[in-house]
Amino acid sequence: MNLSKYEYEMENCFRCSHCKYIPWPVLKSKRFSQVCPSITRYNFHAYSASGKIEMALALHIGRLKEWTPGMLKILYTCTMCGACQISCYPNNFLTDVEGILETLRQKAVEDGVGPMPQHNAFTKSIKEKHNPYNEPHEDRSNWMPEGIEVKEKADLIYWVGCTSSYRRKEIAQATVKVLNKIGVDFMLLRDDEICCGSPVYNTGQKELAKKMAKDVVEKIRKSGAKKLLTACAGCYAMFKAKYPKLIDDIPFEITSLAEILDQKLQDGKLKFAKSVPMKVTYHDPCHMGRMSEYIPEWNGEWKLTGPHIYEHVPEKPVRLGLGGCYDPPRRVLEAIPGIEFVEMERIREYAWCCGAGAGCKSAFPDFALWAASERIEEAKATDAEILVSACPFCSTNLKDAIEQNHEKIRFYDIAEIVLMALESTSGGGETK
Amino acid sequence: MTLSEEAYFDLETVVGPENISQEPAVLDSYCCHATNGGIPRQGLGVDIWWKRADAIVLPGSTKEVQQIVNICNHHGIKFKAHSTGQLPVGFAQSKTNVITIDLRRMNRIIEINEQFMYALIEPYVTQAELFIETIKHGMCPNMIDAGASISPLASVTSVLGNGDSSITRSMNARNPLAVEWVLPTGEILRLGSPNTPNAGWFSGDGPGPSLRGTMRGGLGLLGSRGIFTKVAMKLYPWHGPKKLVTGGHAPWWEVKEWPLSELVIFKWDDYKNEADALYLIGEAEIFDSLGRLSTTKFEATIAESKGEWASIRRWNIFGELFPKGGWFGQIISINQEHLDYCKSVLKRILDQTDGKIVKIEDINVPEGTKINNPEQFAWRCKQIYLQLMLFKDYTLKVCEMPMAGTFGPLPAMYYSNIDTCFKLISKYHIPIKSKYQKNGTILDDGPDGIWATIEENGHMMQFMNFTRIERKDPNADSKGLGEESMVKAFQDGYLPYTPMPPIERILLINKYQRKLNEKLNPYKTAERSSLLGQGGFSPGSGGGGMQKMIDRFLRGRPNKKENKGT
């Protein structure tokens, strides 16, 4: 990948350190002021978005002659969570941080040094077994509980995702039970489902991701589904924000369980019957939030349009996280009787990443656990008993941190909480 | 790379292998900076790269800093420490055998003392963090205009430190109380009260040694005289809410105004009236924060993209509205009567001096972008300046957008009484900037880009005149502008970034500072600032670019008696 198109932008980082912190206007305390797990953990400036941009520039102009293991560590201990972009842009609208970081990963792959060996291992598994966990493909549907009504043909297809299929089966199980209880018909690809390509895209393997995206879209096209539901944030962002950059035509809508539930609540077609007396806080998965916003590829150029006026032509769109899914899960939780919903300090488009994404959980598991532990500390500061999220990969990492640190706080996916609220003694939620 | 294996081993033993690095990409991230180094010169372009240090070290405590300095002295290694690193003053200056000490791990607010009204902080606490924690206690620090992420410790120990709030909270040169200082000899010196057991950190002048003048002088030495590891910073009363109500989305976050706060914009059509009014405003003590607006500042902050900025620039609506600048003030009152009083005093002063209140809502915004909605436009203006007043968000956008590295050189800071500042503005800044705008080497965004603040209710004023240069423009050249503006000022005995004593006095200060340097930095391991000189901007400690310019000027000066000074 060529970094040339970012040259002007890379030269315009003025080291203000905004990329290290949540946006200052929404700061609540010093304890939770940081937004980037990578610089917060490793401290050298090179681990911040600014430092990585400088590394990209130094590579681009030949100041850094070749990749080193240290540079790969700097590059791949980034969760590609996108928070730096949100903090940077209001003060520096010249620099497309996310575009530079993504291109740098793709360059590492093209240069034959990336991704990390652990990423190569899961890539091999994806190629051979269609999942990154080296699990047999034929076991993909083993999560399915008994007694679930799945339609042979429906407008809605439930895309389970690899993590829910193999590692967080309880999320897939709760999701289909909820769908049955609220009366939403759905179908499944079952053994036709394969990895969406998110792990390979986010580790810089764009070409492979492109090929996978084509295969996936073709399978869904053949199913006849008009809408794809996924309870996996990683898949959600891949379908919503990355696929349109990889392939031209995506003939279906993308939604999440939270959005379906929220719509039913808004329409007055769902009411939760059972009280779930818990103090709950919500972790915004990066891929459900800021990273799920689609930003089209920009193919313009920088031009001098007047004396001392040098600008993007046409104007370059930048991800600000505005299109993320933030309110639906919150409205759903708040609609459940008994739930006392409290917010953490770093939320929505400036949420702290759990630390698992973009290959960090596999290549740097200690770092991923540390980042999750930071999130757990933040959740604990709200006095919540339950930490809820909507991502099986966040679920894995956050649960690991809870277990490792012997924390009392419990984690549930939003599907599990909703299921509790629907499984009343009278036989489920009230739907109309 | 010249650091010996033995020296590296010694440093690693102190901080641990995780906290020292010679990785080239890590080293490069401490020597790349778009600003200041990015001043274009015609035909030569810019170089944003500085010298590479031999290693980066991350100490976690004062003891570790002391050990590092001792190792540097033992091995003859130069060191330069920095805090948040927004300015490249902490970057390495020597070509070889130098380490950069990044104080990022030392980031604690150790104490917020309500009784004696100070915060005891470490180097990597940012001013936005300090602000948000101290308002919870009904107090706040002076907030300098350099941005939310800057280090208050660096500001109070090593730089002048002005901001819009300086009208009530002084400049940070006057805000350090007790200080913990690792001298270049490796000794730890605690100035003032902390040397007395259980006395606390309330005073820098005793009981105990008072060396604040030596530590930083009036202007600050940009950390070239050792490493400050703790400072007790003076806090002031805060009458706003203890918790700000915030919301919104990037790029326009929202801070809700509160009932007893009022933001006011006003302007004059001539500098004499403006100066007279500023003295009166200072004497009346009606504002919590007050800053001077300029068209170029307005244009940069109101835009959310470079394209939008380009449209706003072409419209020139701010140039038409504020041909001679304006002021933006925030009144924070304790009750309605006080708020009404402040507003009525302001009105009377404006009436006396032909000043005018400006209502942003009345600006006729051209069609064509998403800010052509007057309500949205006014909201943006208000939010920008509220957030600038409170915690200095958007400051970097003001300085560096829409083209980074163009914050100079005419803005070289001047600092004096209000009358002298306006004399300099009229005599040098406006004509010189106009000349370079006409020949196309800088952006024509109006001659008056003056950004200014008032200290301590009118005692002093600090200003800088922004110029913008797009280095992609083939005519871009700011070097001549910078040199001409400085030389013209020298001719009348003025220097940028100083209280403007005559040059002869500066030279005496120089001798004094050199003597101090010899005593405090006997092994010459404490690096001078990489910005301009050994004392950074301050010409007093000599050795840098500024000093060379002074020397060059003095050599060629036709008649020394012409220097008047103030």
Side-chain angles (χ1 to χ4, degrees), chain A residues 359-378:
Chain A
C360 286
K361 184 76 175 163
S362 56
F364 301 98
D366 291 347
F367 164 62
L369 266 181
W370 169 86
S373 301
E374 275 291 293
R375 194 55 159 168
I376 300 296
E377 286 302 314
E378 191 175 351

Side-chain angles (χ1 to χ4, degrees), chain A residues 7-8 10-18 20-21 23-31 33-34 36 39-47 50-52 54-55 57-58 61 63-64 68-71 73-74 86 89-94 302 304-312 315 320 322 326 345 348-350, chain B residues 18-21 23-26 28-35 48-49 52 56 58 84-86 91 104-105 107 109 124 126 128-129 132-133 136 148-149 246 249-251 253 303-310 314 387 391 393-397 400-404 440-443 469-474 476:
Chain A
E7 193 172 290
Y8 184 80
M10 290 188 291
E11 288 172 353
N12 277 330
C13 171
F14 42 82
R15 217 182 191 281
C16 67
S17 287
H18 279 58
K20 298 170 184 169
Y21 299 94
W24 293 117
V26 290
L27 180 71
K28 303 283 189 300
S29 74
K30 179 170 187 323
R31 172 65 183 89
S33 63
Q34 306 279 331
C36 168
I39 178 68
T40 309
R41 170 66 184 81
Y42 294 106
N43 287 310
F44 289 110
H45 184 72
Y47 286 86
S50 165
K52 282 186 275 261
E54 285 154 359
M55 181 167 87
L57 179 61
I61 62 175
R63 189 181 159 90
L64 290 171
T68 64
M71 288 163 70
K73 185 183 173 194
I74 292 165
I86 311 298
Y89 189 83
N91 269 274
N92 183 351
F93 50 59
L94 297 185
W302 284 92
L304 262 175
T305 58
H308 295 277
I309 298 181
Y310 189 62
E311 57 182 318
H312 303 103
E315 199 152 325
L320 293 174
L322 305 179
Y326 307 112
E345 291 188 16
R348 305 171 76 95
E349 59 264 57
Y350 53 95
Chain B
E18 270 215 325
N19 296 310
I20 181 166
S21 178
E23 170 63 45
V26 171
D28 270 359
S29 73
Y30 288 86
C31 60
C32 181
H33 206 295
T35 57
I48 60 174
W49 296 95
R52 207 188 242 183
I56 312 297
L58 293 163
T84 57
Q86 185 171 295
F91 287 3
R104 181 178 156 82
R105 290 174 65 216
N107 64 354
I109 297 175
Y124 213 94
T126 65
E129 290 171 323
I132 216 75
E133 292 297 343
K136 292 173 184 170
S149 312
T246 60
H249 302 281
W253 305 99
E304 67 172 43
S305 68
K306 194 150 183 182
E308 205 170 80
W309 167 79
R314 290 181 184 112
Q387 293 176 35
F391 39 73
D393 208 27
Y394 300 118
T395 297
L396 273 296
K397 196 171 165 189
E400 320 299 353
M401 295 293 100
M403 53 278 260
T441 53
I442 63 172
L443 177 73
I469 308 105
E470 173 53 68
R471 56 191 156 80
K472 293 287 180 184
D473 189 307

Side-chain angles (χ1 to χ4, degrees), chain B residues 256-504:
Chain B
K256 301 272 186 208
E257 277 190 273
W258 55 96
L260 294 172
S261 160
E262 185 100 5
L263 295 164
V264 199
I265 304 176
F266 42 97
K267 65 173 183 176
W268 292 268
D269 290 333
D270 91 38
Y271 295 139
K272 166 98 181 41
N273 283 343
E274 187 174 346
D276 290 346
L278 290 170
Y279 281 114
L280 294 172
I281 286 172
E283 283 167 17
E285 301 186 5
I286 51 178
F287 281 108
D288 179 81
S289 298
L290 183 69
R292 195 174 194 274
L293 302 179
S294 66
T295 52
T296 198
K297 179 177 173 181
F298 241 123
E299 287 166 353
T301 45
I302 198 72
E304 67 172 43
S305 68
K306 194 150 183 182
E308 205 170 80
W309 167 79
S311 300
I312 294 166
R313 173 81 290 279
R314 290 181 184 112
W315 299 337
N316 196 31
I317 47 175
F318 296 120
E320 287 170 14
L321 185 64
F322 297 106
K324 292 204 166 182
W327 287 81
F328 198 100
Q330 186 179 20
I331 301 168
I332 300 179
S333 293
I334 48 173
N335 56 40
Q336 190 60 46
E337 288 75 18
H338 180 245
L339 182 62
D340 293 342
Y341 165 79
C342 293
K343 285 162 66 179
S344 91
V345 169
L346 175 66
K347 184 176 180 309
R348 183 178 290 190
I349 292 170
L350 293 176
D351 288 345
Q352 281 175 11
T353 55
D354 289 335
K356 296 181 190 69
I357 296 273
V358 177
K359 287 188 177 167
I360 290 292
E361 290 84 347
D362 295 340
I363 297 175
N364 187 18
V365 190
E367 299 282 325
T369 76
K370 48 186 159 177
I371 63 159
N372 65 9
N373 175 331
E375 272 181 34
Q376 165 69 5
F377 181 82
W379 181 88
R380 272 197 204 179
C381 286
K382 220 166 201 185
Q383 278 302 314
I384 284 164
Y385 288 105
L386 181 59
Q387 293 176 35
L388 271 169
M389 293 283 164
L390 292 174
F391 39 73
K392 304 299 166 198
D393 208 27
Y394 300 118
T395 297
L396 273 296
K397 196 171 165 189
V398 170
C399 300
E400 320 299 353
M401 295 293 100
M403 53 278 260
T406 56
F407 173 41
L410 194 58
M413 185 187 287
Y414 284 83
Y415 177 64
S416 187
N417 62 65
I418 293 170
D419 284 331
T420 305
C421 284
F422 276 100
K423 181 181 157 193
L424 288 167
I425 289 168
S426 308
K427 193 169 179 186
Y428 302 125
H429 281 251
I430 301 294
I432 295 173
K433 189 177 174 190
S434 300
K435 177 180 149 188
Y436 283 85
Q437 284 174 326
K438 277 178 195 151
N439 70 24
T441 53
I442 63 172
L443 177 73
D444 185 0
D445 54 357
D448 184 340
I450 305 288
W451 187 9
T453 61
I454 303 293
E455 274 81 48
E456 297 184 8
N457 281 308
H459 287 174
M460 298 287 269
M461 175 169 158
Q462 171 241 321
F463 77 89
M464 41 188 123
N465 196 0
F466 284 95
T467 53
R468 298 199 187 277
I469 308 105
E470 173 53 68
R471 56 191 156 80
K472 293 287 180 184
D473 189 307
N475 294 318
D477 185 356
S478 60
K479 187 81 172 174
L481 168 71
E483 285 182 353
E484 183 170 344
S485 63
M486 283 193 188
V487 167
K488 291 260 181 185
F490 290 165
Q491 284 170 353
D492 273 6
Y494 300 121
L495 284 171
Y497 205 98
T498 75
M500 288 173 249
I503 284 183
E504 281 76 6

